Amino acid sequence: MSFGPTLETSRLILRPPIQDDFAAFAAFGADEEVTRHLGGAASPHASWRAMATVAGSWALMGFGMFSVIEKASGDWIGRLGPWFPGGPEGGWPGTEVGWGLVRAAQGKGYAVEGARAAIDWAFDHLGWSEVIHCIAKANTPSIAVARRLGSYVMHEDVMLPAPIGVAIDVYGQARDDWRARVSSPAP
Amino acid sequence: MIAAPNLETQRLILRGWREDDFEPFAAMMAEPAVARFLTADQRPADRAASWRAMAVFAGHWALLGCGMFVVEEKASRAFVGRVGPWRPEGWPGFEIGWGLHPQFWGKGYATEAARAAGDWAFAHLPELTEVISLIHVDNRASQRVAEKLGETPGERTLHAGMPHVIWRISRARWAALKTNRPS
């Protein structure tokens, strides 16, 4: 049984995490390269807690990151979506749509494709007035994704609360700008 | 989502997690006497850490179909704590755990709630052959609860860098003690 929506893009399925995602989620969490800007490599126990935190966000707040499934292969290729742990008092710098994909799925435009669907959903269903993305300065590929989404640097050198505990720049944009752009697509 | 059922005991309600459990849960996790045995660094948890801990409890239900219940006092509807199944990745067994706000210690609530949670777990998880409780060697109050549940101390283990003992009880012993429980 699912406890959140399933979204579909041309190449991806986005849905809340399920226990069967765990092996892929743990492999992702253990990859030092992909987690270099996400708080570092995690043990299987820490990865399970991270996945349960996402599932719990859905259960408690009605939103959370989606598991990203590649339609062609059926593989779990990452997690992406709305993230605001603890709500307004949780110490998170804002209403985020974030992304993190396994190495094999990077460089294909999947993050942009999935984030667009997640941002549309967040603005349509969560009442958010802006969306942010927390990105480490050295994370060039994610900065490129943020820019392709039309986001810009809102705040620099913001410390994320524990257990992440890393400094990031806050990219983002207002809902009105997002919607204006969607209704007049770039050439 | 797999919703937690409501269980009722003589004095308590056990139920699933709601967003508005956060304030009393965070208050409990900020109590030094609670944090001493229930946080990884033995220090009171800040609000961000408590939110994540609560999300993990709610997510445990969503992912595994079982988990810690919120415990409420029937008479006052106050948040008493969390008691129930706990089996995250890498755990040494299927635990029935408990953690109550100190305001509610010494009333037999942990035992009363753990009995209901254990009854539910054995009834709904046919593959379950035993439950464990992972208890810090210095946590006398929890050891007393384990004894009242009929658990027996087993091997020592290092958990979060601290010495713990794995207490255990088999399905058969749980069932035998259940029939002899005073009602």
Side-chain angles (χ1 to χ4, degrees):
Chain A
M1 226 174 2
S2 182
F3 48 96
T6 297
L7 310 183
E8 195 174 335
T9 69
S10 62
R11 296 178 295 168
L12 306 172
I13 302 282
L14 309 181
R15 56 149 177 78
I18 57 174
Q19 178 64 21
D20 287 348
D21 297 336
F22 177 65
F25 199 104
F28 169 79
D31 186 327
E32 289 182 16
E33 182 59 30
V34 293
T35 57
R36 191 150 51 101
H37 304 296
L38 304 174
S43 68
H45 177 72
S47 282
W48 190 85
R49 291 185 79 101
M51 196 170 98
T53 307
V54 173
S57 177
W58 277 106
L60 293 169
M61 304 178 84
F63 66 86
M65 290 224 191
F66 296 92
S67 279
V68 183
I69 311 299
E70 184 181 44
K71 271 190 199 172
S73 64
D75 290 344
W76 184 98
I77 58 163
R79 86 284 183 281
L80 162 165
W83 192 237
F84 194 34
E89 292 183 85
W92 207 250
T95 48
E96 175 164 23
V97 165
W99 50 84
L101 300 184
V102 301
R103 254 192 277 184
Q106 293 179 6
K108 302 178 180 195
Y110 283 162
V112 172
E113 184 174 326
R116 280 188 180 136
I119 292 170
D120 280 341
W121 184 82
F123 283 147
D124 287 348
H125 293 91
L126 303 179
W128 291 1
S129 58
E130 69 173 28
V131 64
I132 67 157
H133 326 292
C134 300
I135 307 178
K137 267 199 197 326
N139 192 353
T140 316
S142 258
I143 291 169
V145 171
R147 295 207 181 284
R148 285 184 62 194
L149 294 170
S151 291
Y152 57 90
V153 178
M154 298 176 129
H155 307 286
E156 284 192 83
D157 302 316
V158 174
M159 187 64 79
L160 292 179
I164 315 295
V166 296
I168 51 88
D169 290 346
V170 176
Y171 288 72
Q173 61 184 297
R175 177 180 55 204
D176 293 348
D177 293 342
W178 175 260
R179 287 190 168 155
R181 193 172 311 103
V182 169
S183 62
S184 55
Chain B
M1 130 188 190
I2 298 141
N6 281 1
L7 308 181
E8 195 173 331
T9 70
Q10 194 191 343
R11 296 175 294 169
L12 305 170
I13 305 277
L14 282 68
R15 60 163 175 80
W17 292 83
R18 300 191 305 240
E19 199 171 2
D20 66 1
D21 292 320
F22 176 66
E23 290 300 334
F25 178 73
M28 177 176 95
M29 296 312 293
E31 286 283 334
V34 172
R36 182 179 172 210
F37 297 123
L38 292 187
T39 66
D41 62 1
Q42 298 188 275
R43 296 214 178 92
D46 65 23
R47 292 173 65 82
S50 287
W51 187 84
R52 282 178 185 267
M54 181 170 137
V56 171
F57 289 142
H60 192 293
W61 274 103
L63 295 173
L64 302 177
C66 67
M68 291 276 178
F69 294 88
V70 172
V71 180
E72 255 180 32
E73 190 178 47
K74 255 193 216 175
S76 65
R77 302 311 297 248
F79 177 98
V80 166
R82 88 304 188 271
V83 173
W86 183 238
R87 217 272 185 247
E89 177 66 24
W91 216 246
F94 187 101
E95 176 161 25
I96 297 289
W98 46 85
L100 308 188
H101 192 286
Q103 189 185 335
F104 299 101
W105 291 4
K107 299 171 188 280
Y109 281 177
T111 305
E112 187 171 325
R115 280 182 179 146
D119 288 349
W120 179 86
F122 279 121
H124 288 83
L125 304 167
E127 72 282 9
L128 199 59
T129 57
E130 66 166 15
V131 298
I132 68 163
S133 297
L134 198 55
I135 304 178
H136 193 289
V137 292
D138 295 332
N139 191 350
R140 267 307 295 156
S142 260
Q143 291 160 17
R144 276 291 299 141
V145 173
E147 285 162 4
K148 287 200 278 179
L149 293 173
E151 297 184 338
T152 51
E155 66 269 34
R156 273 174 83 112
T157 184
L158 213 54
H159 175 67
M162 299 179 287
H164 283 66
V165 167
I166 301 178
W167 293 66
R168 298 173 188 280
I169 182 167
S170 68
R171 173 183 282 271
R173 181 165 157 78
W174 185 277
L177 292 175
K178 185 183 173 192
T179 58
N180 294 326
R181 249 181 239 162
S183 57

